[in-house]
Amino acid sequence: MPEKKLKDQNMPSRKEMLDQMTISANQYLDRALPEIKVLADGFYQGPSEETWKSLLQLLEGIQWLLEYMNHLVCHKELYANGDKFREISANLQNQLHQFEEALKSQDATLMGDILHFEVILILESAKNEILMIIDKEGIGHDLN
Protein backbone atom coordinates (compact mmCIF):
# COMPACT_ATOMS: atom_id res chain seq x y z
CA MET A 1 0.00 0.00 0.00
CA PRO A 2 2.72 2.57 0.72
CA GLU A 3 3.93 2.22 -2.90
CA LYS A 4 0.52 3.24 -4.22
CA LYS A 5 0.45 6.25 -1.93
CA LEU A 6 3.92 7.30 -3.08
CA LYS A 7 2.93 6.79 -6.71
CA ASP A 8 -0.21 8.92 -6.25
CA GLN A 9 1.89 11.71 -4.73
CA ASN A 10 4.05 11.74 -7.85
CA MET A 11 1.05 11.94 -10.18
CA PRO A 12 0.36 15.44 -11.45
CA SER A 13 -2.94 16.98 -10.42
CA ARG A 14 -5.65 17.70 -12.99
CA LYS A 15 -4.66 21.39 -12.83
CA GLU A 16 -0.99 20.55 -13.41
CA MET A 17 -1.91 18.38 -16.39
CA LEU A 18 -4.09 21.16 -17.84
CA ASP A 19 -1.26 23.64 -17.24
CA GLN A 20 1.08 21.37 -19.21
CA MET A 21 -1.51 21.03 -21.98
CA THR A 22 -1.90 24.83 -22.01
CA ILE A 23 1.81 25.27 -22.58
CA SER A 24 1.73 22.64 -25.34
CA ALA A 25 -1.28 24.31 -26.98
CA ASN A 26 0.48 27.66 -26.97
CA GLN A 27 3.62 26.14 -28.50
CA TYR A 28 1.56 24.33 -31.12
CA LEU A 29 -0.27 27.50 -32.12
CA ASP A 30 3.03 29.40 -32.35
CA ARG A 31 4.12 26.89 -34.99
CA ALA A 32 0.77 26.24 -36.68
CA LEU A 33 -0.59 29.74 -37.29
CA PRO A 34 2.08 30.77 -39.83
CA GLU A 35 1.79 27.37 -41.52
CA ILE A 36 -1.98 27.73 -41.95
CA LYS A 37 -1.35 30.85 -44.04
CA VAL A 38 1.00 28.82 -46.24
CA LEU A 39 -1.58 26.03 -46.41
CA ALA A 40 -4.34 28.46 -47.44
CA ASP A 41 -2.07 29.77 -50.21
CA GLY A 42 -1.56 26.18 -51.34
CA PHE A 43 -5.30 25.80 -51.83
CA TYR A 44 -5.48 29.08 -53.73
CA GLN A 45 -2.74 27.88 -56.09
CA GLY A 46 -4.25 24.44 -56.53
CA PRO A 47 -3.54 21.85 -53.85
CA SER A 48 -0.50 19.66 -54.30
CA GLU A 49 0.29 16.39 -52.55
CA GLU A 50 2.21 18.42 -49.96
CA THR A 51 -0.84 20.65 -49.40
CA TRP A 52 -2.97 17.59 -48.62
CA LYS A 53 -0.32 16.23 -46.23
CA SER A 54 -0.16 19.58 -44.46
CA LEU A 55 -3.95 19.64 -44.22
CA LEU A 56 -3.96 16.21 -42.58
CA GLN A 57 -1.39 17.40 -40.03
CA LEU A 58 -3.44 20.53 -39.35
CA LEU A 59 -6.62 18.50 -38.83
CA GLU A 60 -4.80 16.23 -36.37
CA GLY A 61 -3.56 19.29 -34.49
CA ILE A 62 -7.01 20.85 -34.46
CA GLN A 63 -8.49 17.61 -33.13
CA TRP A 64 -6.02 17.74 -30.25
CA LEU A 65 -6.85 21.42 -29.63
CA LEU A 66 -10.57 20.63 -29.55
CA GLU A 67 -9.92 17.90 -26.97
CA TYR A 68 -7.82 20.34 -24.93
CA MET A 69 -10.55 23.00 -25.09
CA ASN A 70 -13.12 20.40 -24.04
CA HIS A 71 -11.00 19.67 -20.95
CA LEU A 72 -10.91 23.38 -20.15
CA VAL A 73 -14.68 23.68 -20.50
CA CYS A 74 -15.25 20.59 -18.34
CA HIS A 75 -12.95 22.07 -15.67
CA LYS A 76 -13.81 25.73 -16.18
CA GLU A 77 -13.64 26.31 -12.43
CA LEU A 78 -9.83 25.97 -12.67
CA TYR A 79 -9.39 28.96 -14.98
CA ALA A 80 -11.21 32.29 -15.03
CA ASN A 81 -11.66 32.20 -18.82
CA GLY A 82 -12.24 28.45 -19.15
CA ASP A 83 -15.83 28.86 -20.31
CA LYS A 84 -14.76 31.03 -23.27
CA PHE A 85 -13.35 27.93 -24.90
CA ARG A 86 -16.89 26.57 -25.37
CA GLU A 87 -17.60 29.33 -27.92
CA ILE A 88 -14.18 29.06 -29.55
CA SER A 89 -14.60 25.30 -29.91
CA ALA A 90 -18.11 25.66 -31.37
CA ASN A 91 -16.87 28.25 -33.89
CA LEU A 92 -13.97 26.04 -34.89
CA GLN A 93 -16.21 22.98 -35.31
CA ASN A 94 -18.60 25.05 -37.44
CA GLN A 95 -15.76 26.10 -39.72
CA LEU A 96 -14.56 22.51 -39.98
CA HIS A 97 -18.06 21.59 -41.13
CA GLN A 98 -17.93 24.39 -43.72
CA PHE A 99 -14.51 23.16 -44.79
CA GLU A 100 -15.89 19.63 -45.19
CA GLU A 101 -18.63 20.99 -47.47
CA ALA A 102 -16.03 22.86 -49.55
CA LEU A 103 -14.00 19.65 -49.73
CA LYS A 104 -17.01 17.67 -50.95
CA SER A 105 -17.65 20.23 -53.68
CA GLN A 106 -13.91 20.34 -54.48
CA ASP A 107 -13.85 24.12 -54.06
CA ALA A 108 -10.16 24.75 -53.35
CA THR A 109 -10.64 28.54 -53.26
CA LEU A 110 -13.32 28.23 -50.57
CA MET A 111 -11.05 25.88 -48.61
CA GLY A 112 -8.31 28.51 -48.76
CA ASP A 113 -10.77 31.23 -47.71
CA ILE A 114 -12.03 29.22 -44.74
CA LEU A 115 -8.49 28.56 -43.57
CA HIS A 116 -7.28 32.11 -44.17
CA PHE A 117 -10.28 34.16 -43.02
CA GLU A 118 -11.98 31.92 -40.46
CA VAL A 119 -9.75 29.22 -38.98
CA ILE A 120 -6.79 31.53 -38.43
CA LEU A 121 -8.97 34.09 -36.63
CA ILE A 122 -10.51 31.43 -34.40
CA LEU A 123 -7.11 29.94 -33.54
CA GLU A 124 -5.71 33.42 -32.85
CA SER A 125 -8.61 33.95 -30.45
CA ALA A 126 -7.81 30.62 -28.77
CA LYS A 127 -4.15 31.64 -28.53
CA ASN A 128 -5.10 34.93 -26.86
CA GLU A 129 -7.21 33.08 -24.29
CA ILE A 130 -4.38 30.57 -23.74
CA LEU A 131 -1.93 33.43 -23.20
CA MET A 132 -4.33 34.89 -20.62
CA ILE A 133 -4.25 31.57 -18.76
CA ILE A 134 -0.46 31.44 -18.92
CA ASP A 135 -0.12 35.02 -17.67
CA LYS A 136 -2.81 34.81 -15.00
CA GLU A 137 -1.74 31.41 -13.68
CA GLY A 138 1.97 32.14 -13.97
CA ILE A 139 2.63 28.90 -15.80
CA GLY A 140 5.43 28.36 -18.22
CA HIS A 141 7.72 31.05 -16.86
CA ASP A 142 10.52 28.56 -16.27
CA LEU A 143 10.39 27.17 -19.82
CA ASN A 144 12.92 28.19 -22.42
Side-chain angles (χ1 to χ4, degrees), residues 62-124:
I62 286 176
Q63 179 62 41
W64 181 86
L65 279 172
L66 287 168
E67 290 171 14
Y68 159 71
M69 288 188 274
N70 185 52
H71 286 298
L72 289 179
V73 170
C74 288
H75 303 289
K76 62 186 175 195
E77 71 281 357
L78 296 175
Y79 303 102
N81 64 341
D83 204 33
K84 291 188 179 188
F85 289 94
R86 181 183 319 273
E87 180 182 341
I88 293 169
S89 179
N91 289 341
L92 185 55
Q93 289 178 24
N94 181 51
Q95 289 308 314
L96 289 176
H97 178 71
Q98 298 299 321
F99 192 88
E100 181 181 6
E101 293 300 314
L103 188 60
K104 285 178 185 175
S105 65
Q106 300 179 359
D107 189 339
T109 301
L110 182 55
M111 288 184 258
D113 285 349
I114 292 169
L115 290 171
H116 193 267
F117 297 109
E118 303 295 340
V119 173
I120 288 174
L121 291 176
I122 294 167
L123 294 181
E124 285 174 343

Side-chain angles (χ1 to χ4, degrees), residues 6-7 32 41 45 50 54 62 73 80 86 106 116 122 125-126:
L6 181 61
K7 189 175 184 179
D41 289 343
Q45 297 167 8
E50 189 60 35
S54 294
I62 286 176
V73 170
R86 181 183 319 273
Q106 300 179 359
H116 193 267
I122 294 167
S125 175

Side-chain angles (χ1 to χ4, degrees), residues 47-62:
S48 66
E49 186 176 329
E50 189 60 35
T51 304
W52 293 112
K53 286 180 185 177
S54 294
L55 176 63
L56 182 58
Q57 290 174 342
L58 173 64
L59 293 174
E60 290 171 355
I62 286 176

Side-chain angles (χ1 to χ4, degrees), residues 1 15 21 23 31 65 72-73 90 94 103 116 127 144:
M1 279 304 214
K15 171 104 170 49
M21 290 176 74
I23 292 166
R31 293 185 312 272
L65 279 172
L72 289 179
V73 170
N94 181 51
L103 188 60
H116 193 267
K127 179 159 178 58
N144 290 328

Side-chain angles (χ1 to χ4, degrees), residues 15 18-23 25-26 68-69 72-73 75-76 78-85 126-141:
K15 171 104 170 49
L18 283 172
D19 286 352
Q20 291 170 2
M21 290 176 74
T22 298
I23 292 166
N26 185 54
Y68 159 71
M69 288 188 274
L72 289 179
V73 170
H75 303 289
K76 62 186 175 195
L78 296 175
Y79 303 102
N81 64 341
D83 204 33
K84 291 188 179 188
F85 289 94
K127 179 159 178 58
N128 289 336
E129 293 298 326
I130 288 167
L131 288 173
M132 286 176 60
I133 291 173
I134 290 171
D135 289 343
K136 193 169 238 179
E137 300 295 323
I139 58 176
H141 292 299

